[in-house]
Amino acid sequence: MVHSEHFLRLLLLLKKERVEDRKQYESKIRNRSLEDRKKEGVTWYPVVVDSSFLGTGEKWVLKMERTTDHDKRHFFQAGSSVSIFLNDQKKNLSASGIISKVSEKYMTVVLNFDDPPDWIDEGRLGVDLLFDESTYDEMERTMRKLADVREGRIQELISVLLGHTQPGFHQSFGIRHPNLNDSQNEALNLIKSARDLALVHGPPGTGKTTTLVEAIKDTVAEEKQVMVTAASNAAVDLLAEKLTQQGVRVLRIGHPARVTEEVVSSTIDARLAEHADAKLLKDLRKKAEEYRALGKKHKRHFGREERQQRTLLLNEARTLKEDARMLEDHMIHDELNKAEVIACTLVGANSSYLQNRTFKTLFVDEASQALEPASWIPIMKCGRVVMAGDHWQLPPTVKSLEAAKEGLSETVFGRNIAKWDADVMLETQYRMHDDIMRFSNQYFYEGKLKSGDIISQRRQLFEKSVLFIDTAGCGFDEKLNPETLSTYNVEEGRFVLAQLDRILKELPEADAHQLKIGVIAPYKAQSELLKANLPDLGLPGEVLKNITINSVDAFQGQERDIMMISLTRSNAEGIIGFLSNERRMNVAMTRARHLLVMVGDSATLSSNDFFDQLIQDLQQRNLYHSAFEFMYS
């Protein structure tokens, strides 16, 4: 069958992606010395335990401090799997866990054990980043299952989502929420009427999350329970938080370490700890452990009577343990049934808690960023699918260029928005000044976006809301970090920070201390350079805490009052690397509310058609300036 070929092809592409991902990981960590791993940013050593405590879900938590190398880059992030190790070749001891928080100096890890290892206080501790095999296992397992599907509702959905059968719709219901605009209400009506598939296209600042929350509430009122998923934990948590604030009972499936503080009370671990039977469960486990300890206790005189007594004690311990397991299963089942929304990541939908559980409706946020194999994991549990995203923003992350070219970068959302008339685009944006919105609107959104009244009514902070500052001819040449192969531009970095300083000094003090500022650098080396030099500006602490410097990916879904972009590339050959990814630039250019400043070399950038059109547009609108105007003014 055609669909079998599709899923078996995805399975092959996943295998290529796994090989490339593991290869990149092993190049950083396997068979490398401790010093080399530290240099690669995949090991912290030495670390000391700052504090330890019993966290949510009775899991042990360690907060560790990196005692040296605070300025060195690293690849650790919240949600990563790690191994805490004792640097002793004779003992070879380690313990695995999940990072819940990480900064340049501190890392908080939730252990996969109820108790900390007894060697944790011996010193010589370090932390290694682990390769995550389980996500690939889940996706590959799902592809094999789908290749074998021959009947049922999932076969009908496969036919629709692969573009063979047109999605069906009931008659429109005329829903109108007074707090939503026309296109948002149109999206709600589309979702209500969809039998198979509804797509919500949410360009930047158009209230996609608000629309989804209302749609989920409407669906819950009718169906009692829905599944809500997204590609990232952050997106799932945002929806879970907003729904909880609206009085919806959410059950968040996932490791507590991967969940934000605002949502941790909705996790299944937290709910079980608060359950009416929680004390009974704790008592059963305690008694089981007491009987087991008595049964294992060493006795000097061990005859027939003692052997019988030990057998009775251990049997009682096993019975109590089984009673505790059955009680916990009942408590989990109870919490699942009480939930109106089951929230999890795409891969998290395969949790053992959700085995054999199905849903009439599935909501997928960030669908345009979701790998197709991951998207199918929750789809297999549902009768119809509602997807929200923007195929003109960031695509899925695919590390294998070969797999990407052969189709792994294609998404279910992208394929279906191109194939079917099953979507509504949200057309009113509430974030950007009109001048900031204009180019992206014309280039990506066919000029359909318009600004809400709030944009014209708010105070205008700057005479010009967009600036392109051209460094062509300034001699700001890019360089390549030989170790990381990441591009950076020292002179451009200094210039960007000088412009940030100028902007802040020209603002009234109250605004300078309150406005949220973002600086995007497309390359990690440039981001690190900017972060290292920012303190040299001598800005007050209350201003510094409002400044974030990061990659485009880190700012997806976020916004700032002022956004600066250091485009970095400057070379005689006109090579711009992945700056040529238009979707990435669209994200970067649409984060700003009041002011967007782009700094780059037009001589290099204009070799690309997108940048050529962008720079010409800004010149025509008198928003283009040479860097020389600022260097000698």
Side-chain angles (χ1 to χ4, degrees), residues 473-484:
C474 292
F476 292 179
D477 295 331
E478 66 182 60
K479 294 180 175 64
L480 191 70
N481 184 313
E483 291 183 0
T484 65

Side-chain angles (χ1 to χ4, degrees), residues 22 25-33 37 131 133:
R22 190 190 288 113
Y25 166 80
E26 290 182 349
S27 72
K28 293 183 176 72
I29 198 164
R30 286 286 168 86
N31 304 318
R32 304 289 290 270
S33 70
R37 300 202 311 269
F131 182 71
E133 299 275 6

Side-chain angles (χ1 to χ4, degrees), residues 249-496:
R249 187 174 178 87
V250 177
L251 186 63
R252 177 68 162 93
I253 306 295
H255 197 292
R258 293 191 168 110
V259 174
T260 60
E261 289 179 13
E262 292 79 8
V263 180
V264 74
S265 61
S266 298
T267 60
I268 197 156
D269 294 282
R271 285 279 164 77
L272 291 178
E274 296 168 3
H275 195 278
D277 291 329
K279 188 178 183 304
L280 177 57
L281 179 63
K282 196 172 183 179
D283 289 345
L284 281 171
R285 284 175 170 165
K286 186 180 177 183
K287 283 182 181 177
E289 184 55 35
E290 287 172 354
Y291 277 110
R292 193 188 73 83
L294 283 170
K296 293 287 186 181
K297 195 173 182 181
H298 175 72
K299 292 185 178 180
R300 289 180 65 189
H301 303 289
F302 199 79
R304 182 181 173 189
E305 192 176 324
E306 286 80 10
R307 190 175 289 109
Q308 287 177 339
Q309 186 183 21
R310 168 176 283 189
T311 301
L312 287 170
L313 287 167
L314 292 177
N315 284 343
E316 184 62 22
R318 278 190 286 272
T319 301
L320 288 167
K321 192 175 181 181
E322 179 62 18
D323 289 346
R325 188 194 63 77
M326 290 173 65
L327 177 60
E328 186 178 45
D329 286 349
H330 161 75
M331 291 162 64
I332 291 168
H333 189 72
D334 185 42
E335 289 298 335
L336 286 167
N337 287 340
K338 286 190 292 189
E340 295 173 305
V341 167
I342 303 292
C344 58
T345 60
L346 299 169
V347 175
N350 243 3
S351 165
S352 59
Y353 295 133
L354 303 178
Q355 208 167 17
N356 303 321
R357 190 168 281 262
T358 57
F359 306 84
K360 184 176 179 182
T361 302
L362 164 69
F363 287 86
V364 184
D365 196 9
E366 280 189 344
S368 50
Q369 282 185 269
L371 275 177
E372 178 169 357
S375 297
W376 284 100
I377 296 172
I379 291 171
M380 286 192 73
K381 295 179 174 293
C382 301
R384 68 179 189 129
V385 185
V386 178
M387 290 187 156
D390 181 5
H391 50 300
W392 294 118
Q393 294 191 60
L394 292 181
T397 299
V398 180
K399 295 185 178 179
S400 166
L401 293 176
E402 185 182 352
K405 285 177 184 175
E406 292 176 11
L408 193 59
S409 58
E410 182 183 43
T411 63
V412 178
F413 182 90
R415 180 171 59 243
N416 282 276
I417 205 166
K419 177 74 176 178
W420 306 122
D421 182 18
D423 66 293
V424 166
M425 180 174 127
L426 305 181
E427 295 180 349
T428 304
Q429 69 89 16
Y430 302 94
R431 174 186 298 162
M432 300 165 275
H433 186 283
D434 287 352
D435 285 344
I436 299 172
M437 173 187 75
R438 180 168 158 175
F439 182 78
S440 282
N441 187 23
Q442 296 300 327
Y443 193 91
F444 296 104
Y445 304 111
E446 302 175 358
K448 292 178 181 178
L449 279 182
K450 57 182 181 289
S451 296
D453 293 339
I454 190 174
I455 301 299
S456 59
Q457 292 168 0
R458 72 188 181 191
R459 180 167 63 101
Q460 184 153 338
L461 299 177
F462 301 94
E463 184 181 342
K464 291 182 177 180
S465 293
V466 181
L467 288 176
F468 183 94
I469 304 178
D470 189 358
T471 63
C474 292
F476 292 179
D477 295 331
E478 66 182 60
K479 294 180 175 64
L480 191 70
N481 184 313
E483 291 183 0
T484 65
L485 301 180
S486 182
T487 304
Y488 65 102
N489 191 320
V490 176
E491 290 84 4
E492 182 180 295
R494 288 182 187 140
F495 181 81
V496 167

Side-chain angles (χ1 to χ4, degrees), residues 50-62:
D50 178 78
S51 59
S52 62
F53 53 92
L54 203 58
T56 306
E58 302 292 302
K59 289 182 169 60
W60 206 264
V61 180
L62 297 179

